[in-house]
Amino acid sequence: MSGTALPERLEEIVEEFADLPGDLRLEALLDYSRKVPPLPPELAANRDVLEQVHECQTPFFVATELREDGAVELYFDAPPEAPTTRGFAGILYEGLNGSSAEDVLATPETFYTSMGLDQVVSPLRLRGIAAILSRLKRQVRAKVEAAHAGGVPGATHA
């Protein structure tokens, strides 16, 4: 990578993509679209706690939770007919879910540049993945600050 350490699993995903021939990168991205788990019932029933990422071309929503052990839980909602955006969410889910808040916050917004995705998706769509990561980092940062101020870390999702 570019000198900035990524969480181990995200680094593995970045390397996996970088090693693929260009024509297989889009296929791999679409494979990751199937790795986004459905929202848990409490979030599906209360969608107000999900934050929309307006930079995405499709309706895309994110929520985070900071567990008591300091690990981050990620929640994404994107329609199945948006496989590129869901693929970005799948990469972030597989690479960051369960990581420490510190590792999530240290992840560069442009980590995806080493993946070669610029060869298979438009710059507009690439800005979407940076926006998704930026939103979830903002949420995690707010939760860490609330925890240090005496708040209950996992009490809210968004």
Side-chain angles (χ1 to χ4, degrees), residues 11-74:
E11 179 69 33
E12 290 170 3
I13 294 168
V14 168
E15 290 173 3
E16 170 190 325
F17 273 83
D19 290 343
L20 287 173
D23 59 334
L24 295 180
R25 286 187 186 129
L26 184 57
E27 188 175 319
L29 181 63
L30 298 180
D31 284 344
Y32 274 93
S33 74
R34 294 184 277 280
K35 296 184 182 208
V36 179
L39 289 174
E42 66 273 10
L43 285 180
N46 184 14
R47 299 181 56 81
D48 291 344
V49 299
L50 298 169
E51 180 179 2
Q52 185 168 4
V53 180
H54 295 284
E55 294 87 345
C56 289
Q57 290 182 297
T58 188
F60 184 90
F61 299 85
V62 61
T64 61
E65 183 176 330
L66 184 61
R67 298 189 320 217
E68 288 188 25
D69 65 0
V72 174
E73 293 290 330
L74 304 176

Side-chain angles (χ1 to χ4, degrees), residues 65-151:
E65 183 176 330
L66 184 61
R67 298 189 320 217
E68 288 188 25
D69 65 0
V72 174
E73 293 290 330
L74 304 176
Y75 304 97
F76 300 111
D77 187 35
E81 59 273 7
T84 302
T85 305
R86 284 185 67 82
F88 294 155
I91 289 168
L92 291 170
Y93 183 82
E94 289 289 313
L96 293 177
N97 193 60
S99 294
S100 70
E102 179 180 277
D103 282 348
V104 171
L105 293 173
T107 301
E109 272 86 359
T110 58
F111 76 90
Y112 60 85
T113 57
S114 298
M115 299 173 79
L117 290 175
D118 58 326
Q119 298 173 11
V120 294
V121 295
S122 72
L124 186 59
R125 292 211 182 267
L126 289 176
R127 282 192 294 275
I129 193 171
I132 294 166
L133 180 59
S134 178
R135 281 299 151 69
L136 71 88
K137 286 172 67 170
R138 186 187 52 71
Q139 288 182 16
V140 168
R141 191 173 297 107
K143 286 179 176 21
V144 167
E145 290 170 2
H148 286 130

